[in-house]
Amino acid sequence: MKIAILPGDGIGPEIISQAKRVLQTLRSDGLSLEWELGAIGGAGYESSKDPLPEDTINLTKAADAVLLGAVGGPKYDSLPRAMRPEQGLLRIRKELGLFANLRPAVVFPELASASSLKSELVEGLDLMILRELTGDIYFGQPRGRRQTESGEDEGFDTMRYSVSEIERIARVAFDIAQKRNGKLCSVDKANVLDTSILWREVVTKISEEYPTVELTHMYVDNAAMQLVREPKQFDVILTGNIFGDILSDEASMLTGSIGMLPSASMDVNRKGLFEPIHGSAPDISGKNLANPLATILSVSMMLKYTFNEVEASQRVESAVKSVLSQGFRTPDIYQAGSKRVGTQEMGDAVIEAM
Ligand code: IPM
Ligand code: MG
């Protein structure tokens, strides 16, 4: 099992260090894991003037899975767009064909009161957002700047999805729903957009292959509202790239602990890139304040989804649950009465629990 590890920027290297300790523990207990480090984002720009250096592309292509920290920082905000850290992320998704992005929003019982919603609305929440990641307005052509007939400048982008792109992401969604509570809500804007009308037709057609899954459709504006009104009505949400970007940030906040949530982006062969959903948090980087648990849970997802090592995956997840129930808290999830720890000490506690 070969892993490419890309620590990235900001708190990326610190949280990745703790995740590496988890991998080391699993390896010394017999899993045949190996890994190699590569640069991405601002770190790629520093080393090779490229947010996704050629070496990194080769490394990730040769690996079975990729573990990523986070990219970005104020230092790189004024660079031309092609050099910006986010481009590293967008390009690796495209290069590796990572079209299926799984973003769970799970409320850990110990942290329900950290949500900005009332505890009773979020207690027990376990929602999976499946976001299509390599199509839509993010990559549609043509795009750019042009002049209107009256000589004014305008910017434009193209929203697009082909039938085969919708079919393949829909099948992933139905598969996931089948293994969970059998409820799939497809989110679109079919009252306005042609892309969404096609999306709805294709998802409905694919649903015939999955008679045990109950499919519903919802407009994206309503979905944004329902997520804060009654989030527990959802099991799996399937949506396109841009709507998924927005709704997954909203859903993460329901859990009150963005520092706790992992994500997976997978190709057709279940090769995946695993990363915490939070960003590089430059304001707290290098201060031993970052929460490493989302990255450690990303390792757990990697073991489950790419390597099919269900037992090892559960071992890591249980260790995280155990440190929470023992009261260890990094500052982002600290509540009066719990044990305040830093990045390194949280890592110690996880290793101890394993
Ligand atoms: C995300 C991020 C990225 C996206 C950015 C950094 C390009 O917001 O992973 O959700 O928009 O996909
Ligand atoms: Mg986003």
Side-chain angles (χ1 to χ4, degrees), residues 2-112:
K2 273 165 76 180
I3 306 168
I5 300 187
L6 314 180
D9 311 317
I11 60 172
E14 296 165 70
I15 54 181
I16 284 287
S17 297
Q18 302 310 316
K20 262 161 62 185
R21 296 174 68 196
V22 169
L23 292 173
Q24 269 148 3
T25 305
L26 293 167
R27 184 170 64 183
S28 47
D29 292 346
L31 271 196
S32 73
L33 293 164
E34 47 183 271
W35 53 87
E36 218 175 301
L37 292 166
I40 194 170
Y45 178 76
E46 305 282 355
S47 67
S48 348
K49 292 274 172 291
D50 184 351
L52 187 63
E54 194 67 39
D55 287 353
T56 302
I57 299 178
N58 296 335
L59 178 73
T60 55
K61 286 195 170 156
D64 304 308
V66 181
L67 181 65
L68 184 126
V71 298
K75 215 173 138 187
Y76 310 110
D77 283 349
S78 52
L79 291 174
R81 190 166 78 172
M83 291 294 137
R84 300 264 297 260
E86 300 79 40
Q87 289 301 312
L89 209 54
L90 295 173
R91 277 171 50 206
I92 199 172
R93 289 172 182 170
K94 203 65 176 172
E95 285 278 349
L96 300 181
L98 306 172
F99 71 97
N101 182 213
L102 282 69
R103 299 194 167 186
V106 175
V107 171
F108 294 85
E110 293 88 353
L111 303 177

Side-chain angles (χ1 to χ4, degrees), residues 103 131 138 245 248-249:
R103 299 194 167 186
R131 167 188 178 193
Y138 270 60
D245 177 46
S248 62
D249 264 26

